[in-house]
Amino acid sequence: MGILAYDDDEALGRVRAVDTTMVVVNVDDTERLRKLQVNRLAVLQSSRPGQHLIGIIQKITRTAIDAKNGTTEGSDDEILEQNSVRISLIGTLVDKVGDKVNVFLRTLETVPEIDAYCFSLEGKRLTDFMRVVANIAGDGQKLSLGHYTLDENAEAYLNGNKFFQRHAVIVGSTGSGKSWTTARVLEQVAALSNASALVFDIHGEYSPMRGPGIKHFRIAGPGDLDAGATLDNGVIFIPYWLLGYEAMTSMFVDRSDQNAPNQAMVMSRAVVNAKRKYLTDGGHSEVLANFTVDSPIPFSLDEVITELNGLNVEMVAGAKTGTEKQGEFHGKLSRLIQRLENKRTDRRLGFLFQGNVETMEYEWLERLVLALVAGTKDQTDGTGGVKVIDFSEVPADILPLIVSLIAKLVFAVQQWTVSERRHPVALFCDEAHLYIPESRSSGAAGDISVEIFERIAKEGRKYGAGLVVISQRPSEVNRTVLSQCNNLIAMRLTNGDDQAVVRRLLPDSLGGFGDLLPVLDTGEALVVGDASLLPTRIRVMEPTQRPNSGTVDFWERWGEDKHVRGHLEAVEGWRRQSVQGLPV
Ligand SMILES: Nc1ncnc2c1ncn2[C@@H]1O[C@H](COP(=O)(O)OP(=O)(O)OP(=O)(O)O)[C@@H](O)[C@H]1O
Ligand SMILES: [Mg+2]
């Protein structure tokens, strides 16, 4: 027996008008009308037996009609009412498909006929229906978010495969619960036996999340440079030799300089020479034949600078014997050399240029990739499927550069793995508007970052790289990246621009859902997309390990009789550009 069997006398009313996915139903019983609510579900009789059309109530109207103009006879002052409900169809529940019973499909093979009965979906039937939807949604590993607001007894599952395959966005105003929702997802990822996910943690919010499946890293800050910090104690150096040609030119060549094209060309030649020397000296002849300026091969920056210096002062033989004239690049490289020297000694960029000797080893990249990209089972200590990378000490202007370098590393590894041995990896991008910006005003580093994330958004599915874009300002996040995300978790959003962006991500038939965005409770989300068969409002369950959301209780703290003095440490930390190891 199907779960949606109704008696005719339970009907709300009958269908009056049908327009592809919109249905208008006349409701005669005012009592029943009063109990209806927008965004609740309704069931419509289908012309095919064993099928039930499911719709969302979009609009409830009660209109008075003057009886004199109507057809019904009555006394002069009698007012008749025409009560109607507008329903948008979203799917079909089929009682039996093959040997499966109660199957929910997000397609409409039929539309209701005029005069078909319409029923309200509530109570036990709603519970049963939500369970059906949940079970079907979990045909892969089930990802549990919480409970449906419509029915607190029905657990809301997402399809874990689809959630990561076609990317996801989590948006909401500050304090709406994005980080907690992310933590709820992350702890389930961490519990899987061979998970692989990276979290770009911009404010160090996820540091309280501990456990066997979670490992913490941070980008080497100025304080780590002389302390002998290494990957084994969770400090990441990304050596300069991992910069591609684009990143290198954007960093060292001033585009407005009239010699810029020359500088870029000469630098790339010098880098290729230095890489060749490294490969030759190390006896890596198998790589020697095919490497390019972009290949991840260590090289000596000293050699590059020496070569550039040489060209910058070079004199060549003149037309007449015995005379000399300035070489082709004479004096044209001074600014390039100066920029190189400056960057190289900049302690904020120490993670790039001042890594310890091991970062110059040929095998070092393998170690970095194993630590950051590989799944739980490949980790040396068999833990750490989820790698939280703390960027809280990274200066804002170089954040896009670093984040995108890591994203590029992950994507390159996925691309170069033979397909049958590829292990899927997900990138959780918290505060994505900071490094995947919509406007290209953030400078060259921002451009490079956007380019890399656009690529992952467009091609990631094929290479098993999934994005989870998390932001409080969806209107400031790159549109191309957003448009590639097929799963939406939208939490409370108050800003109009941001709402507009999210509305555009909602399917047309669900336009009405967008109106809920500003009125959602903290921790409540609208979930739509590949991973959940039914667009739903979900109350996200609290994660067991809560991120540090950083809410400060002003009034309470001001009222406390406690003396804390962080200011002097702050001054010292500011100078050192690091809060690691400060005297307290
Ligand atoms: N699912 C939830 N259930 C109950 N309370 C929640 C839930 N999610 C969040 N909260 C509350 O809201 C606060 C803020 O949540 P969270 O840190 O996730 O916000 P956020 O959206 O990440 O904000 P920001 O954009 O500023 O990082 C939490 O400290 C917690 O008190
Ligand atoms: Mg947050």
Side-chain angles (χ1 to χ4, degrees), residues 174-175 177-180 182 203 205-206 430-431 470 472 547-549:
T174 176
K178 296 180 300 297
S179 297
W180 280 37
T182 309
H203 300 303
E205 283 177 89
Y206 297 92
D430 204 356
E431 310 285 354
I470 306 158
Q472 45 173 278
N548 178 0
S549 65

Side-chain angles (χ1 to χ4, degrees), residues 233-513:
N233 30 60
V235 179
I236 301 178
F237 285 90
I238 305 165
Y240 58 88
W241 50 263
L242 281 175
L243 294 170
Y245 172 76
E246 293 287 335
M248 253 189 293
T249 39
S250 84
M251 197 163 197
F252 302 127
V253 178
D254 179 358
R255 285 186 200 178
S256 61
D257 192 318
Q258 57 168 354
N259 287 317
N262 272 329
Q263 291 178 351
M265 192 260 291
V266 172
M267 181 182 64
S268 124
R269 219 161 59 189
V271 168
V272 169
N273 288 341
K275 283 187 175 175
R276 181 177 302 116
K277 178 154 188 305
Y278 185 95
L279 289 172
T280 317
D281 291 353
H284 304 286
S285 49
E286 66 292 346
V287 187
L288 210 44
N290 293 316
F291 80 100
T292 69
V293 63
D294 283 322
S295 306
I297 294 158
F299 66 91
S300 153
L301 205 55
D302 282 333
E303 277 162 26
V304 171
I305 292 178
T306 311
E307 180 170 342
L308 295 179
N309 268 324
L311 289 170
N312 198 37
V313 297
E314 192 182 35
M315 299 298 285
V316 294
K320 283 191 220 147
T321 40
T323 61
E324 275 197 329
K325 63 167 191 184
Q326 294 184 343
E328 192 185 353
F329 303 108
H330 191 101
K332 290 183 177 152
L333 306 177
S334 312
R335 301 214 21 218
L336 170 67
I337 295 167
Q338 200 176 12
R339 278 171 77 104
L340 261 166
E341 294 281 13
N342 287 348
K343 301 273 179 195
R344 178 183 192 192
T345 46
D346 184 345
R347 288 180 69 81
R348 298 186 320 156
L349 295 176
F351 71 94
L352 269 180
F353 297 104
Q354 296 173 44
N356 48 32
V357 282
E358 62 168 10
T359 63
M360 291 301 287
E361 287 164 12
Y362 193 72
E363 293 74 23
W364 188 82
L365 188 53
E366 271 95 338
R367 292 185 47 208
L368 183 67
V369 166
L370 266 187
L372 292 186
V373 191
T376 323
K377 287 191 190 301
D378 279 327
Q379 300 295 322
T380 39
D381 48 2
T383 160
V386 172
K387 301 94 175 169
V388 178
I389 306 177
D390 184 341
F391 288 83
S392 59
E393 291 190 4
V394 173
D397 56 330
I398 52 174
L399 183 72
L401 174 76
I402 310 182
V403 176
S404 62
L405 266 174
I406 296 184
K408 189 182 131 186
L409 181 79
V410 173
F411 191 55
V413 169
Q414 292 303 97
Q415 273 188 307
W416 288 104
T417 319
V418 274
S419 55
E420 55 284 6
R421 287 166 55 79
R422 202 173 279 135
H423 194 62
V425 51
L427 301 175
F428 286 76
C429 310
D430 204 356
E431 310 285 354
H433 50 279
L434 296 177
Y435 48 90
I436 320 178
E438 165 64 3
S439 66
R440 300 276 172 115
S441 59
S442 50
D447 281 2
I448 289 174
S449 180
V450 166
E451 217 167 278
I452 288 168
F453 282 102
E454 275 185 5
R455 234 178 122 208
I456 301 180
K458 286 183 200 152
E459 301 167 29
R461 187 182 58 81
K462 299 191 194 79
Y463 297 106
L467 283 180
V468 180
V469 176
I470 306 158
S471 175
Q472 45 173 278
R473 293 306 315 269
S475 59
E476 290 177 8
V477 177
N478 183 268
R479 290 298 139 78
T480 312
V481 172
L482 278 189
S483 69
Q484 296 292 325
C485 296
N486 286 279
N487 292 290
L488 171 67
I489 298 185
M491 317 209 60
R492 184 180 56 245
L493 259 184
T494 41
N495 179 290
D497 291 345
D498 294 329
Q499 286 173 12
V501 169
V502 171
R503 271 172 212 266
R504 250 174 272 143
L505 294 176
L506 290 171
D508 286 343
S509 62
L510 300 172
F513 250 66

